[in-house]
Amino acid sequence: QVQLVESGGGAVQAGDSLRLSCAASGGSFSSYHLGWFRQAPGKEREFVCGATKWGGMIAADSVKGRFTISRNNAQNTVYLLMNSLKPEDTAIYYCALTKDSVLSRQPTEYDYWGQGTQVTVSL
């Protein structure tokens, strides 16, 4: 059973940066595709960034050029570096892992989830 634990969230001002971390345990981390999602109050969970097990990266248009996902397979950790934060980035951020053969943007395709970490961006 894979367990994921996020950390690094907090309250910041617009324009600031944050780095989220997600530590994994209980599985073969390097064998899985990973994703970061977020969910704002009253909204559906949405894809933010993803990292394939081969090192490829993708990002949602809303964060492209500002957010970067990276993974350290030796430490079983995935990161989300968020620059130039905006108030609309305010949400609970979740990391997730999928056993599928392809990296998906759909939350339903992910098998394991962390508990989430709150990010609040104010003007």
Side-chain angles (χ1 to χ4, degrees):
Q1 183 77 3
V2 176
Q3 292 186 323
L4 302 171
V5 180
E6 301 98 336
S7 61
V12 297
Q13 293 188 322
D16 286 350
S17 299
L18 275 177
R19 190 180 77 158
L20 307 183
S21 300
C22 174
S25 61
S28 182
F29 182 80
S30 62
S31 300
Y32 302 126
H33 304 312
L34 301 163
W36 282 98
F37 291 79
R38 66 186 182 186
Q39 188 165 17
K43 295 188 176 181
E44 294 186 351
R45 192 167 298 191
E46 65 173 356
F47 175 82
V48 177
C49 288
T52 71
K53 59 184 178 181
W54 306 292
M57 311 291 176
I58 58 173
D61 288 344
S62 59
V63 305
K64 201 169 290 184
R66 299 189 298 123
F67 291 12
T68 303
I69 187 173
S70 61
R71 61 189 297 168
N72 184 327
N73 289 337
Q75 296 185 343
N76 288 355
T77 303
V78 59
Y79 303 96
L80 184 67
L81 175 61
M82 306 184 294
N83 294 322
S84 303
L85 282 161
K86 304 176 181 179
E88 51 263 44
D89 295 319
T90 295
I92 299 175
Y93 283 72
Y94 300 89
C95 68
L97 181 152
T98 177
K99 296 187 290 185
D100 279 357
S101 59
V102 295
L103 177 66
S104 173
R105 297 173 184 253
Q106 298 302 318
T108 52
E109 299 300 317
Y110 285 74
D111 301 285
Y112 300 101
W113 292 85
Q115 82 288 352
T117 185
Q118 177 72 46
V119 172
T120 303
V121 185
S122 59
L123 288 170

